[in-house]
Amino acid sequence: MQNRRKFIKNVSLISLGGILAGKSDLANASTLSTFSVNAGKKIGLQIYSLGRELFEDIPGGLKRISQMGYSTLELAGYRDGKINDIEMSDFRKMADDAGLKIISSHLNPPMREYTSSNKGEIADFWKRAADDHAKIGVTYIVQPGQPSTRSTEEVSLVCEVFNEAGRIAKANGLIFGYHNHDMEFARVIPGGTEMIFGRRAFGRNMPENIEVIYDGFLRQTDPELVIFELDVYWTVMGQNDPVEYMQKYPDRIKLLHIKDRAVLGQSGMMNFENIFIQAYKNDIQDYFVELERLPVGTQFEGVKKCVDYLLEAPFVK
Ligand code: MG
């Protein structure tokens, strides 16, 4: 008890800077090692943002990320129990050493076309993946790739597969999620042969039961088994408002990808203030910065500019 009280006292002293800066999230003392850097902000990074640069020196790279002010990670590149060529347990250890917590991981089954005959094979993939990820203690396993969805029927089949992946994840103590790009905001019709995007969907000859694919995913997946990681940039690219989706589905959208065309805040096409206001209203606990390949400079430089944007943003708590 004495030790705990002493610990809290020390944390309080270190947190003083945060109090003076008007930060109230002092319960988040686990980020003590990076506290002075990020003033208590819990900012995550999707490691895809660094591309090959991270794998040139993983321990050094992870330490740089931590020093920049990131405190959590979402993995990418899972295959056969490894992240690229690195054993997952080794990756976890290197993240621990850098003071970074792995919350989530992106992974896709090897097939894009789901049929009633390959459902078993897809389930086998998720069983192995869930087992591998449970061992390194992540919370979420997230599918970022859109399977084939050319008709209402294909959307329903995909939802069955997602629900099964969710059951497998849950049996391993994990949560299954789905991450969108832009084409999930295309629409499909019963018996359709293609996704219908943009203004074409409002043509005069479209049936009444035309549905946005993403809405079909939300409607037909079990809320107990499947959560959604909303990529706010791709939602905008899909001609939709991420805030509207967060307002409509507060119990389904549990994670965010905070992303812009390039470095956060530079394009002017993303209203991050409104996005963060709604995220706090929804009590979203985790989000991950994502950055595509930059035409100039290194990915590390870009990732640093992104975290600086969030650290300086008054609307990010
Ligand atoms: Mg994304």
Side-chain angles (χ1 to χ4, degrees):
M1 193 63 198
Q2 186 59 39
N3 283 343
R4 187 165 181 270
R5 214 176 279 142
K6 194 175 169 192
F7 172 74
I8 289 168
K9 190 182 166 209
N10 287 341
V11 169
S12 298
L13 286 172
I14 294 163
S15 304
L16 193 59
I19 293 166
L20 293 173
K23 304 292 177 290
S24 58
D25 186 19
L26 299 179
N28 192 7
S30 62
T31 55
L32 195 55
S33 61
T34 53
F35 213 87
S36 58
V37 179
N38 70 12
K41 293 187 183 186
K42 184 180 170 193
I43 302 172
L45 179 69
Q46 162 54 255
I47 65 165
Y48 163 84
S49 311
L50 293 163
R52 295 301 312 169
E53 288 176 29
L54 175 61
F55 291 87
E56 286 161 15
D57 169 18
I58 303 173
L62 292 175
K63 278 178 191 132
R64 281 173 75 185
I65 295 165
S66 176
Q67 281 158 7
M68 286 178 195
Y70 290 100
S71 52
T72 64
L73 292 181
E74 181 176 67
L75 302 179
Y78 167 82
R79 201 179 160 187
D80 296 332
K82 292 179 179 169
I83 298 298
N84 286 355
D85 294 329
I86 309 300
E87 291 293 337
M88 290 170 79
S89 54
D90 293 340
F91 203 102
R92 160 76 200 264
K93 191 176 178 313
M94 289 185 266
D96 284 349
D97 290 346
L100 294 165
K101 185 168 169 52
I102 303 169
I103 304 269
S104 176
S105 180
H106 270 200
L107 56 158
N108 287 306
M111 58 290 281
R112 293 294 288 271
E113 295 260 346
Y114 295 179
T115 64
S116 44
S117 57
N118 71 12
K119 277 160 70 176
E121 209 182 321
I122 299 168
D124 288 342
F125 166 82
W126 285 115
K127 281 174 195 160
R128 165 89 198 268
D131 184 47
D132 287 338
H133 282 83
K135 283 179 191 152
I136 62 158
V138 305
T139 306
Y140 300 97
I141 47 175
V142 177
Q143 173 166 344
Q146 184 177 4
S148 174
T149 48
R150 293 163 296 199
S151 65
T152 304
E153 292 79 8
E154 278 192 341
V155 169
S156 298
L157 181 62
V158 164
C159 290
E160 278 178 41
V161 173
F162 285 173
N163 283 334
E164 180 61 15
R167 268 187 286 275
I168 293 163
K170 201 170 187 177
N172 284 274
L174 305 174
I175 298 167
F176 172 79
Y178 181 75
H179 160 285
N180 64 285
H181 290 87
D182 51 350
M183 286 308 283
E184 288 84 349
F185 298 96
R187 288 166 166 86
V188 284
I189 58 173
T193 55
E194 60 171 345
M195 297 188 282
I196 306 159
F197 190 69
R199 283 195 290 172
R200 276 183 61 221
F202 302 100
R204 243 184 284 169
N205 55 350
M206 288 296 160
E208 261 181 42
N209 53 4
I210 187 169
E211 187 175 34
V212 172
I213 294 162
Y214 198 64
D215 296 9
F217 287 171
L218 283 154
R219 186 170 60 77
Q220 296 177 81
T221 51
D222 184 341
E224 299 294 316
L225 300 173
V226 180
I227 64 105
F228 288 80
E229 179 179 65
L230 190 73
D231 186 306
V232 296
Y233 169 78
W234 285 117
T235 304
V236 169
M237 291 299 282
Q239 304 180 359
N240 276 271
D241 178 1
V243 173
E244 203 176 295
Y245 267 93
M246 282 193 276
Q247 285 169 343
K248 204 168 166 192
Y249 300 101
D251 300 328
R252 306 302 306 281
I253 295 166
K254 294 293 181 191
L255 299 171
L256 297 177
H257 264 198
I258 295 297
K259 176 174 160 71
D260 204 333
R261 179 177 285 153
V263 169
L264 294 184
Q266 284 189 354
S267 77
M269 66 186 279
M270 299 300 302
N271 192 330
F272 286 116
E273 180 162 10
N274 283 359
I275 288 166
F276 273 91
I277 288 170
Q278 191 61 46
Y280 295 124
K281 276 187 194 160
N282 289 20
D283 199 26
I284 289 176
Q285 298 290 317
D286 291 293
Y287 63 85
F288 304 98
V289 169
E290 187 178 43
L291 179 67
E292 295 292 339
R293 298 293 158 269
L294 293 173
V296 287
T298 69
Q299 292 303 117
F300 270 100
E301 285 164 0
V303 158
K304 168 87 166 71
K305 286 178 190 164
C306 287
V307 80
D308 286 347
Y309 172 80
L310 295 176
L311 289 170
E312 287 162 21
F315 53 80
V316 178
K317 292 187 216 165

